[in-house]
Amino acid sequence: MGILLEKNNGYDVITDEQRQEMEDYCAQYIDFMNAAKTERECVVECIKLAEAKGFKPYVQGMELKPGDKVYYNNRGKNIDLAVIGKRSLAEGANIAAAHTDSPRLDFKPQPLYEDEEMSYLKTHYYGGIKKFQWVTIPLEIHGMVCLKDGTNKYVKWGEGDEPKFVITDILPHLGKSQASKTLGEAIPGENLNLLIGSEPVKDKEAKQRFKQHVMELLNEKYGIIEEDLMSAEIQAVPAFKATEIGFDRSLIGAYGHDDRVCAFAELKALLDMKEIPDRTAVCIFADKEEVGSMGITGMISQAFEHFMNSLCKSQGVDLYDCFSQSFCLSADVTAALDPIFMEVFEKNNESRINHGIAICKYTGGRGKGGASDANAETVAYIRKIFSENGVLWQLAEMGKIDEGGGGTVALDMANRNIETIDAGVPVLSMHAPFEVVSKLDCYMTYRGCKAVFEARK
Ligand code: MN
Ligand code: MN
């Protein structure tokens, strides 16, 4: 090793064996992405994969011994999984936390209306989106409809050969005044209305013939009445499938890489663990990160304390002693350097595609505002365990100073007195309906999570 920092492209260092493992891993990731387009679907897929590897739902008061595998499903939207380690939880746990909610269009509580002989559903966008990216693309509708009688129906409208939905935009021929607006103003939030039908019911006397036709179809098929939409939690998500990108197939395009690409990496790393870990390993799929991690299923929720405290109690350990000795990898994506938009990047300090998992000492913006700035000792620790375990890593900021910034769940974990650092997959077009990552970085993030879980600390 020389005294100057070497920045390696992963393809110059990866072995043939690793390359095969990378392809297998990424094929599984693509399947996961096609099965899970919402946080609820991520929890369902997670449980399916975990139970196949012997994980059991945690039941209060359950006796636990080293090697036991349990999960805690928090209201179907957030899940924590643990493999009990050989050492006491008083010596801390190795935690990896990612989020599985992604930017999207949520339905308003009273979404359905008709206008000029067409039917629409009104949405309220969730998370940081560029609104103009969500028009004129095929969309699906996924979510939970809770009926008055107590039955809950999870719907996925628009999958496979089913019809899709779309938000329309002005034709360029009439777009003169729209073109003079800023990108942020060109598509107002109240324009994000899904076109869902145009055929009326036969009865010419009916008051809202177009809206009624849609409701009749929904009622016939799912028993839903309009009032049920008021208690529903439904999202419009892109209808694209996850797919390989590029002639060399080296990249993956999908909706929701942020942050399912890290969630899948930590889940796989946990499920692939062959030996009983030294320290208890905990994997978290958090909800609500894109809107600030608040709420009962967000990372700030005491649901995490409840689960960890249950594990601690089984060993007679104080939760805060456990937290104070624990380590958390806040596994979240970062912005990959994009040569088409060089003006927002500082090229010495950006993550690069195919350079491995990107460690972020701090996130935030405008003078590190809102950042969980990891200590030097923490950065040194993570680079040590990555290097010792053949994990290709890089250190990154997100964009030029004062260009913007972002946050993760890192500060929610650090606030619990858990030593925490951010690291994850670099993403191109982050928060777009179709984001791009590299296979190599996905694979290295998986290896990075494995190294964290297996570390003796
Ligand atoms: Mn994220
Ligand atoms: Mn995000």
Side-chain angles (χ1 to χ4, degrees):
M1 196 172 80
I3 55 170
L4 286 184
L5 177 64
E6 276 174 44
K7 293 191 176 182
N8 290 317
N9 185 296
Y11 282 98
D12 294 329
V13 296
I14 194 169
T15 64
D16 290 347
E17 195 188 327
Q18 287 176 337
R19 209 176 156 142
Q20 190 50 54
E21 208 179 51
M22 171 182 100
E23 293 294 346
D24 295 345
Y25 171 81
C26 288
Q28 292 172 48
Y29 173 56
I30 287 174
D31 289 345
F32 175 81
M33 289 301 268
N34 286 331
K37 284 190 172 178
T38 69
E39 59 279 0
R40 286 184 192 266
E41 291 162 22
C42 284
V43 168
V44 169
E45 281 308 300
C46 177
I47 291 175
K48 211 188 283 172
L49 296 170
E51 287 190 340
K53 292 273 187 171
F55 281 74
K56 302 240 156 26
Y58 177 78
V59 181
Q60 276 306 322
M62 200 172 178
E63 264 188 57
L64 295 170
K65 57 177 190 315
D68 280 354
K69 301 168 178 179
V70 289
Y71 67 84
Y72 166 62
N73 174 354
N74 179 13
R75 297 165 173 88
K77 297 174 73 176
N78 148 231
I79 187 165
D80 303 328
L81 305 96
V83 177
I84 308 300
K86 290 180 207 150
R87 278 155 64 188
S88 161
L89 276 161
E91 295 179 55
N94 286 330
I95 303 166
H99 66 93
T100 47
D101 60 316
S102 295
R104 68 207 182 214
L105 307 175
D106 284 346
F107 281 17
K108 290 194 180 199
Q110 297 167 81
L112 187 60
Y113 74 99
E114 65 171 59
D115 200 6
E116 298 296 342
E117 303 179 51
M118 289 185 280
S119 305
Y120 296 91
L121 283 165
K122 288 200 76 68
T123 69
H124 190 143
Y125 68 96
Y126 171 97
I129 65 163
K130 289 161 89 169
K131 299 180 197 83
F132 67 87
Q133 292 177 333
W134 291 75
V135 298
T136 69
I137 58 167
L139 297 164
E140 294 171 8
I141 296 172
H142 293 213
M144 181 65 92
V145 186
C146 299
L147 310 186
K148 225 188 205 161
D149 67 6
T151 50
N152 298 334
K153 296 194 175 178
Y154 195 84
V155 299
K156 285 186 180 182
W157 295 322
E159 281 210 310
D161 295 338
E162 281 188 34
K164 314 286 184 256
F165 309 91
V166 72
I167 297 165
T168 53
D169 193 6
I170 304 175
L171 60 166
H173 317 63
L174 299 177
K176 195 168 160 240
S177 57
Q178 184 191 45
S180 67
K181 292 180 185 165
T182 64
L183 281 176
E185 289 164 346
I187 306 287
E190 293 292 351
N191 278 24
L192 297 176
N193 306 321
L194 262 69
L195 178 59
I196 55 163
S198 67
E199 184 188 334
V201 288
K202 296 252 172 334
D203 177 7
K204 280 191 181 165
E205 304 305 311
K207 263 204 219 131
Q208 296 179 294
R209 300 174 65 207
F210 296 85
K211 179 174 159 177
Q212 188 172 336
H213 188 223
V214 168
M215 254 352 284
E216 279 180 8
L217 291 172
L218 289 183
N219 188 263
E220 210 173 280
K221 214 163 169 191
Y222 307 96
I224 295 172
I225 59 168
E226 192 181 0
E227 193 188 307
D228 294 326
L229 296 176
M230 293 176 109
S231 58
E233 194 172 49
I234 313 183
Q235 317 173 359
V237 294
F240 315 131
K241 286 195 127 199
T243 181
E244 293 177 309
I245 297 280
F247 287 117
D248 57 10
R249 300 171 179 267
S250 61
L251 305 153
I252 302 171
Y255 160 65
H257 283 312
D258 177 10
D259 184 31
R260 293 165 198 152
V261 69
C262 296
F264 186 73
E266 53 174 44
L267 177 67
K268 262 297 270 175
L270 192 80
L271 301 189
D272 287 354
M273 227 155 34
K274 294 207 172 63
E275 281 161 33
I276 299 175
D278 213 44
R279 306 218 295 175
T280 293
V282 180
C283 164
I284 303 165
F285 279 19
D287 180 27
K288 292 284 177 279
E289 193 277 342
E290 295 296 356
V291 291
S293 297
M294 281 82 79
I296 200 160
T297 53
M299 200 63 247
I300 298 173
S301 165
Q302 292 272 322
F304 176 62
E305 269 78 1
H306 187 210
F307 175 62
M308 289 301 291
N309 193 42
S310 304
L311 302 187
C312 284
K313 274 201 304 196
S314 76
Q315 300 181 359
V317 169
D318 181 87
L319 174 68
Y320 294 96
D321 288 343
C322 171
F323 279 176
S324 72
Q325 299 302 310
S326 292
F327 175 81
C328 178
L329 180 80
S330 162
D332 205 345
V333 300
T334 189
L337 181 142
D338 185 339
I340 295 177
F341 298 98
M342 244 7 227
E343 64 275 16
V344 301
F345 296 104
E346 190 270 283
K347 58 181 178 184
N348 277 342
N349 283 285
E350 304 298 351
S351 66
R352 287 166 188 269
I353 288 291
N354 290 329
H355 279 236
I357 182 170
I359 303 170
C360 296
K361 183 180 186 300
Y362 47 85
T363 57
R366 296 157 299 280
K368 298 191 177 181
S372 168
D373 198 345
N375 294 328
E377 292 87 340
T378 311
V379 182
Y381 168 71
I382 196 81
R383 80 181 171 99
K384 179 168 177 282
I385 63 163
F386 282 174
S387 299
E388 285 172 358
N389 289 281
V391 180
L392 184 70
W393 61 273
Q394 50 184 328
L395 218 120
E397 277 195 317
M398 195 162 91
K400 273 186 180 162
I401 294 170
D402 296 338
E403 279 293 344
T408 65
V409 299
L411 77 164
D412 309 322
M413 302 310 275
N415 286 346
R416 292 178 160 110
N417 196 24
I418 298 171
E419 191 181 352
T420 303
I421 188 155
D422 279 303
V425 178
V427 179
L428 294 165
S429 314
M430 195 200 289
H431 282 206
F434 194 72
E435 304 172 313
V436 176
V437 295
S438 94
K439 286 182 177 174
L440 196 137
D441 299 331
C442 294
Y443 172 65
M444 286 299 169
T445 299
Y446 156 72
R447 289 181 67 105
C449 292
K450 220 159 166 281
V452 165
F453 287 144
E454 288 167 2
R456 299 176 62 86
K457 182 92 182 165

